[in-house]
């Protein structure tokens, strides 16, 4: 049979590899394909990429189920994300980094489906908009955080990592090798230094990230940085002042780590 394509939202999640994939193949070899592979309206795989790969390698004919049969008003990208999250044991950081890529897909599909359905069925269009509100309604950020089971703050942090970090750092977060918090500190370094930190052994990498955090929290370095930004926009000034305030927060809920209630300079 002709090779099936994977839906972009499904491709946000890493495929099974090594022992996990071999275990899935062995299960399908022994018991058969117990769950169908769900496909989109364009015949792309929304859920079941690994089952499809396993069937292909075993020479079996996969069983498919079109999403439109039972979920005609469901946004395909949202369905792909929700089902993959339920199947995978992902950390909060992994879910957050994937959400940074998914946000754009959600908004594009919501807008496209809304435009298409409004021409033929206003009621159906309204239902789809309710399923995933567009950015203009101010709810996309919260909806993405809800779907990925993360806080809006962590979703925004992952979005900054996506825009500021080199691709290798982003991929390391998705694979579970870095937390979003650590990746954001790395992303503040020049690209070459980001690559150097990423290539370090785990203990050295942890030390480098710690040093980066300490530099970022040094009052003198921050004041110099703020003064540079101010003067680049407004010109030299002897009246430049900076103020320090404390933000007390906890990362425990998002990262599954110990509570950090230290004052942070912002």
């Amino acid at each position: 049979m002709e090779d099936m394509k994977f839906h972009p939202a499904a491709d946000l999640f890493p495929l099974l590899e090594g022992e996990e994939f071999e275990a899935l193949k062995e299960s399908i070899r022994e018991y058969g394909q117990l769950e169908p592979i769900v496909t989109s309206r364009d015949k792309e795989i929304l859920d079941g990429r690994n089952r499809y790969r396993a069937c292909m390698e075993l020479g079996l004919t996969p069983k498919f189920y079109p999403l439109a049969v039972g979920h005609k008003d469901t946004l395909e990208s949202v369905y792909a994300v929700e089902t993959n999250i339920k199947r995978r044991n992902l950390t909060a950081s992994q879910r957050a980094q994937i959400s940074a890529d998914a946000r754009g897909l959600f908004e594009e599909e919501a807008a496209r489906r809304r435009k298409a359905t409004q021409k033929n069925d206003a009621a159906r269009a309204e239902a789809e908009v309710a399923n995933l509100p567009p950015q203009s309604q101010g709810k996309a950020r919260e909806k993405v955080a809800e779907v990925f089971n993360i806080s809006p703050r962590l979703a925004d942090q992952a979005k900054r990592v996506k825009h500021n970090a080199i691709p290798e750092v982003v991929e390391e977060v998705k694979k579970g090798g870095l937390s979003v918090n650590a990746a954001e500190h790395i992303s503040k370094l020049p690209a070459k230094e980001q690559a150097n930190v990423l290539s370090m052994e785990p203990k050295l990498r942890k030390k480098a990230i710690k040093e980066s955090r300490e530099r970022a929290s040094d009052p003198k370095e921050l004041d110099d940085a703020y003064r540079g930004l101010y003067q680049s926009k407004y010109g030299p000034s002897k009246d430049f002042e900076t103020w320090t305030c404390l933000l007390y927060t906890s990362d425990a809920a998002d990262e599954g780590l110990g509570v950090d209630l230290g004052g942070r300079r912002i």
Side-chain angles (χ1 to χ4, degrees):
M1 63 177 294
E2 185 178 345
D3 287 345
M4 297 281 292
K5 292 183 178 180
F6 299 157
H7 190 279
D11 264 344
L12 295 174
F13 297 84
L15 290 164
L16 292 182
E17 297 178 351
E19 293 182 0
E20 285 185 306
F21 182 61
E22 291 303 317
L24 174 63
K25 280 175 59 178
E26 188 58 35
S27 174
I28 292 177
R29 188 199 314 273
E30 185 172 355
Y31 303 107
Q33 181 191 337
L34 301 180
E35 292 188 58
I37 297 163
V38 182
T39 57
S40 69
R41 293 167 181 81
D42 295 328
K43 301 188 184 306
E44 294 177 326
I45 294 177
L46 294 168
D47 177 49
R49 294 173 304 156
N50 294 301
R51 297 194 294 282
Y52 172 78
R53 291 167 58 219
C55 287
M56 290 293 95
E57 291 192 15
L58 292 170
L60 302 176
T61 301
K63 301 173 185 176
F64 297 101
Y65 177 82
L67 179 68
V69 171
H71 305 79
K72 65 179 182 179
D73 291 327
T74 300
L75 286 177
E76 293 171 346
S77 54
V78 173
Y79 177 87
V81 166
E82 289 182 332
T83 52
N84 275 280
I85 284 178
K86 290 176 183 177
R87 294 184 187 281
R88 310 297 286 273
N89 185 26
L90 302 174
T91 66
S93 280
Q94 285 177 291
R95 297 196 303 273
Q97 202 57 62
I98 294 170
S99 79
D101 293 328
R103 187 185 298 198
L105 287 176
F106 285 7
E107 292 166 357
E108 288 173 12
E109 186 179 351
R112 186 173 64 252
R113 292 278 303 279
R114 187 172 64 255
K115 183 177 180 180
T117 54
Q118 281 177 340
K119 295 179 180 179
N120 304 312
D121 189 342
R124 180 179 172 188
E126 184 178 349
E128 291 189 354
V129 174
N131 190 15
L132 182 69
Q135 184 81 304
S136 60
Q137 295 185 23
K139 296 182 180 179
R141 174 175 176 264
E142 287 74 15
K143 183 64 179 180
V144 167
E146 177 188 339
V147 169
F148 281 87
N149 191 27
I150 56 176
S151 70
R153 180 196 66 80
L154 190 61
D156 287 343
Q157 195 175 13
K159 187 176 181 181
R160 291 194 296 272
V161 169
K162 178 186 176 183
H163 289 299
N164 299 325
I166 60 175
E168 292 82 359
V169 169
V170 175
E171 287 305 310
E172 191 68 12
V173 179
K174 290 180 181 179
K175 290 190 294 185
L178 275 177
S179 70
V180 167
N181 192 40
E184 184 170 29
H185 282 286
I186 294 175
S187 72
K188 296 174 183 177
L189 300 171
K192 188 174 181 179
E193 289 187 36
Q194 291 185 42
N196 288 340
V197 171
L198 202 60
S199 66
M200 292 177 179
E201 293 293 327
K203 288 185 178 179
L204 292 177
R205 180 193 294 179
K206 187 176 181 180
K207 181 180 178 181
I209 294 172
K210 182 180 178 181
E211 291 175 351
S212 173
R213 287 172 173 165
E214 290 173 350
R215 288 198 304 270
S217 62
D218 181 80
K220 184 179 184 305
E221 288 199 21
L222 280 175
D223 288 350
D224 290 344
Y226 294 153
R227 182 177 290 104
L229 288 172
Y230 181 90
Q231 292 180 350
S232 67
K233 185 171 183 179
Y234 301 107
S237 173
K238 296 181 180 180
D239 300 324
F240 177 85
E241 287 187 81
T242 59
W243 293 270
T244 300
C245 66
L246 296 179
L247 171 64
Y248 292 92
T249 183
S250 168
D251 292 333
D254 290 326
E255 296 296 337
L257 303 175
V259 177
D260 171 16
L261 293 178
R264 297 182 182 180
R265 183 184 175 88
I266 60 172

